[in-house]
Amino acid sequence: EAQVTQNPRYLITVTGKKLTVTCSQNMNHEYMSWYRQDPGLGLRQIYYSMNVEVTDKGDVPEGYKVSRKEKRNFPLILESPSPNQTSLYFCASSFVPLYNEQFFGPGTRLTVL
Amino acid sequence: KQEVTQIPAALSVPEGENLVLNCSFTDSAIYNLQWFRQDPGKGLTSLLLIQSSQREQTSGRLNASLDKSSGRSTLYIAASQPGDSATYLCAVRNNQGGKLIFGQGTELSVKP
């Protein structure tokens, strides 16, 4: 089944404890992206990647890191999480961003205490 | 900077009604516009994608239109059903292709 998977789905952590949220897709998509969704602010793009070893900042990259060493994986890294990073995070992928629809993962709900 | 606005923020209609959701954007230089559906606690599901050169796209009871010059898109839902209840989001992709800008969504409730 074609899908985007995220792990974990739920995470509660404490300020400053490094964490990684994994994202994997099995559709051989070149493009992958991370978003966060907050009440009243909607969905905002954190980082995106046009292909392996190519990443770029979205609108809210501060406090996050990403890497794209393999085509199928695009992990989101929070080196020192803070409470303002408590949010619902979505990973998405597509073949060619200009012409194809994006497929979204199920989301990761992160709480930073 | 591209800004995307969706009005209304919430909408409640009786079953069977035809309805229109609105999406407006400030920069008309877009590559495409996409409509999504989000159910509570779930991820986003793509509904329709309109390329900048297209005027509309249809899928079943859904029809999305695009007017780049006026910076507007509409999502028309025919003969609404309770199962259509969800939040509908529009998103535009800019000319660079990498960034996707979302509106804040319209929460639709269809009453039986």
Side-chain angles (χ1 to χ4, degrees):
Chain A
E1 180 189 355
Q3 59 183 350
V4 178
T5 57
Q6 296 179 226
N7 281 292
R9 294 288 314 280
Y10 303 90
L11 179 60
I12 300 174
T13 189
V14 296
T15 299
K17 186 177 181 182
K18 180 180 179 179
L19 66 93
T20 299
V21 183
T22 65
C23 173
S24 182
Q25 50 91 7
N26 62 1
M27 294 169 278
N28 203 33
H29 287 166
E30 295 92 0
Y31 179 88
M32 298 185 74
S33 183
W34 276 102
Y35 303 87
R36 61 179 289 175
Q37 187 174 34
D38 302 287
L41 296 175
L43 268 155
R44 295 176 293 168
Q45 193 171 30
I46 303 171
Y47 270 96
Y48 62 93
S49 170
M50 302 289 275
N51 214 323
V52 177
E53 301 292 0
V54 180
T55 62
D56 235 320
K57 296 178 181 179
D59 286 327
V60 288
E62 295 78 20
Y64 304 95
K65 285 176 57 177
V66 293
S67 69
R68 187 87 182 276
K69 293 183 169 54
E70 306 167 280
K71 199 172 189 178
R72 63 182 292 127
N73 297 322
F74 191 45
L76 180 68
I77 302 158
L78 285 71
E79 294 270 3
S80 183
S82 62
N84 65 13
Q85 293 178 298
T86 293
S87 187
L88 179 59
Y89 291 87
F90 289 102
C91 179
S93 71
S94 69
F95 274 118
V96 177
L98 301 182
Y99 302 107
N100 284 70
E101 62 186 273
Q102 278 199 36
F103 295 86
F104 278 73
T108 294
R109 186 166 292 282
L110 172 64
T111 301
V112 183
L113 302 174
Chain B
K1 181 183 175 182
Q2 179 75 274
E3 293 182 2
V4 181
T5 304
Q6 291 186 246
I7 295 173
L11 181 64
S12 181
V13 300
E15 181 177 4
E17 270 204 10
N18 302 324
L19 59 99
V20 174
L21 307 180
N22 296 295
C23 172
S24 61
F25 45 94
T26 55
D27 185 352
S28 62
I30 67 170
Y31 258 61
N32 59 36
L33 181 145
Q34 195 165 356
W35 282 93
F36 295 88
R37 168 187 173 135
Q38 185 176 26
D39 294 286
K42 301 284 182 65
L44 281 69
T45 301
S46 177
L47 297 174
L48 291 164
L49 174 72
I50 311 178
Q51 305 297 345
S52 61
S53 59
Q54 297 175 319
R55 298 283 294 183
E56 65 178 330
Q57 281 285 337
T58 298
S59 176
R61 294 183 294 109
L62 305 179
N63 176 278
S65 68
L66 175 64
D67 184 343
K68 274 182 57 177
S69 61
S70 67
R72 295 179 65 183
S73 176
T74 61
L75 179 66
Y76 175 83
I77 303 177
S80 58
Q81 303 170 358
D84 294 331
S85 297
T87 296
Y88 291 81
L89 299 116
C90 70
V92 301
R93 189 175 300 283
N94 63 14
N95 279 325
Q96 284 71 42
K99 290 189 176 182
L100 193 65
I101 311 297
F102 280 84
Q104 294 204 21
T106 294
E107 186 176 356
L108 173 66
S109 176
V110 182
K111 306 292 187 185

